[in-house]
Amino acid sequence: MLQALTILSLLFLTDFTMAASEDPAELGAGLQNPGYEELPAWFKTSFLDLTEDVAEAAAEDKRVLLYFYQDGCPYCAKLLRDNFTDREIVELTRQGFDVIAINLWGDREVTGLDGKTTTEKKLATLLGVQFTPTLLFLDEAGKVVLRLNGYLPPHRFAAALRYVAERHERTGERFSEFYVRTNPREAEGDLHQEAGFLAPPLRLGDNRRKSPRPLVVMLEQPVCRECDELHQDVLRREAVALSLAAFDAAIVDVFSREPLQTPDGRETTGRDWAAELGIEYTPSLVFYDTQGREVFRTEGYLKAFHVQGALDYVATGAYRWQPSFQRYLSARREALAERGIQIDIMR
């Protein structure tokens, strides 16, 4: 029995290694490696000449971030799902770095910083990469400024981005010292639940056929500081809560594989529906009329004034006659000012 189990284990490892060494683009149309995770579209499409990449980044006052990954790596998936959908992280990364993804087992040709040609997997060996994800932050000379061996949660990862992008290593301050000094805030890590919201399994199409109220779907994820702020602050404000009372509401995890029914009656999962909707940031609020048609959405970071404005914009039907949400908000603020009510829109 032990011998049989050993043989099966070896076969499994051999199959996994063979699959991991293949490039998903070479597996044929519609085929992907098990565990493949799509990279953000804004990662750099590089010819993998690292000297050239470093020079191009420096010319734009950026630095290069090498991201070593492998398909089937759960912490690579977590990095892409939790970190690279966080609005602050995306903005920090796009402003300060050119991100180049390198497959730990890949065979693509790479020209290293020494000018020598190698492959992705050999480069990983040369750089001592043993874990995925491994992230190497390079300065303008191609020197490693900071190395992250493994996954960091969003608040720590954002601090690492700021440390390198702001060139704090030049002051002699270590990243650990910078992190303690800046003391970033950690996300809750749980998908929020709200009393009175539609409960899973979500049957949003059935809800549209029965309810006379519009629907707001809050597309979120568990590790999301802006989602925490939405539920712990914004939705707790009396004025926002009153506006929300005009809606049916549901929370959808953008990475969930649990089945749900969309407002137009189709069967899918939270993950697939979020991809279909093109959701890139959380939380995003998508609004539907009583017929299950999308009529409006918000995808940026919003304070209470704007969230309440979005709710009222849909609930009153103003979107039908005023296609510009910004004009609607301006008129709303002016009307309040005429009544002597001053609003701090960033509070």
Side-chain angles (χ1 to χ4, degrees):
M1 174 64 78
L2 179 60
Q3 184 178 11
L5 288 173
T6 302
I7 292 172
L8 286 172
S9 299
L10 288 171
L11 287 172
F12 171 79
L13 289 171
T14 301
D15 288 344
F16 177 82
T17 304
M18 289 176 64
S21 67
E22 295 171 336
D23 189 326
E26 297 175 356
L27 292 179
L31 298 178
Q32 294 177 337
N33 286 337
Y36 170 75
E37 295 285 340
E38 187 172 356
L39 299 173
W42 47 266
F43 275 23
K44 182 175 182 181
T45 301
S46 170
F47 293 107
L48 297 183
D49 184 330
L50 299 187
T51 301
E52 183 178 280
D53 288 324
V54 167
E56 289 177 354
E60 297 182 0
D61 196 30
K62 293 184 177 183
R63 289 177 155 182
V64 166
L65 170 54
L66 299 181
Y67 161 53
F68 288 87
Y69 73 97
Q70 61 178 318
D71 294 334
C73 161
Y75 282 100
C76 298
K78 192 169 179 63
L79 179 75
L80 296 175
R81 296 176 185 180
D82 292 354
N83 296 34
F84 283 123
T85 57
D86 181 287
R87 187 172 296 105
E88 178 191 9
I89 286 174
V90 171
E91 290 175 355
L92 282 171
T93 309
R94 297 188 73 170
Q95 290 171 7
F97 300 91
D98 285 337
V99 184
I100 300 170
I102 298 178
N103 188 336
L104 182 68
W105 308 109
D107 292 314
R108 289 186 300 168
E109 188 175 277
V110 181
T111 302
L113 294 166
D114 58 1
K116 297 180 180 179
T117 301
T118 184
T119 63
E120 292 174 285
K121 59 189 176 187
K122 289 181 180 178
L123 176 68
T125 299
L126 288 171
L127 293 174
V129 176
Q130 299 184 33
F131 309 96
T132 55
T134 290
L135 298 108
L136 303 183
F137 295 82
L138 308 183
D139 66 10
E140 293 74 12
K143 179 183 176 183
V144 177
V145 173
L146 180 66
R147 180 185 187 115
L148 302 180
N149 292 320
Y151 173 79
L152 286 186
H155 66 296
R156 289 181 177 268
F157 187 66
L161 292 169
R162 288 195 297 272
Y163 173 79
V164 179
E166 295 169 5
R167 279 68 172 171
H168 285 278
E169 85 283 353
R170 293 178 178 175
T171 69
E173 184 178 33
R174 294 179 300 169
F175 171 58
S176 58
E177 296 168 332
F178 173 81
Y179 177 79
V180 170
R181 177 169 63 81
T182 56
N183 190 28
R185 182 170 57 87
E186 185 175 2
E188 289 290 319
D190 293 314
L191 190 72
H192 290 273
Q193 304 294 328
E194 292 285 351
F197 278 32
L198 299 176
L202 294 175
R203 307 295 297 171
L204 301 180
D206 295 343
N207 171 263
R208 293 298 77 207
R209 286 189 288 272
K210 298 175 182 177
S211 177
R213 304 193 301 178
L215 169 71
V216 56
V217 178
M218 302 178 183
L219 292 121
E220 306 181 12
Q221 61 176 315
V223 182
C224 170
R225 284 173 294 183
E226 288 82 3
C227 302
D228 296 343
E229 182 176 337
L230 175 68
H231 289 274
Q232 296 169 358
D233 177 14
V234 174
L235 298 186
R236 295 289 171 265
R237 302 194 186 194
E238 184 178 2
V240 177
L242 286 172
S243 295
L244 183 59
F247 289 83
D248 291 330
I251 298 171
V252 171
D253 183 343
V254 297
F255 293 115
S256 173
R257 297 183 184 275
E258 294 300 315
L260 63 78
Q261 183 191 64
T262 63
D264 59 1
R266 293 175 295 112
E267 303 296 331
T268 185
T269 65
R271 178 190 179 97
D272 291 341
W273 191 34
E276 177 188 319
L277 291 171
I279 300 300
E280 295 185 359
Y281 302 108
T282 55
S284 287
L285 276 59
V286 184
F287 295 84
Y288 294 87
D289 65 14
T290 55
Q291 304 302 310
R293 296 174 297 217
E294 180 183 338
V295 295
F296 183 62
R297 65 168 65 184
T298 67
E299 297 177 286
Y301 174 68
L302 300 179
K303 290 291 190 177
F305 174 78
H306 296 85
V307 171
Q308 185 186 3
L311 291 165
D312 291 347
Y313 182 61
V314 175
T316 62
Y319 66 89
R320 297 191 183 97
W321 52 266
Q322 175 51 274
S324 170
F325 179 53
Q326 290 305 319
R327 289 184 182 275
Y328 171 81
L329 286 180
S330 295
R332 180 188 183 93
R333 193 177 181 190
E334 290 170 5
L336 289 171
E338 289 176 359
R339 294 165 55 190
I341 302 174
Q342 298 298 322
I343 300 293
D344 182 354
I345 63 174
M346 292 308 295
R347 188 175 161 274

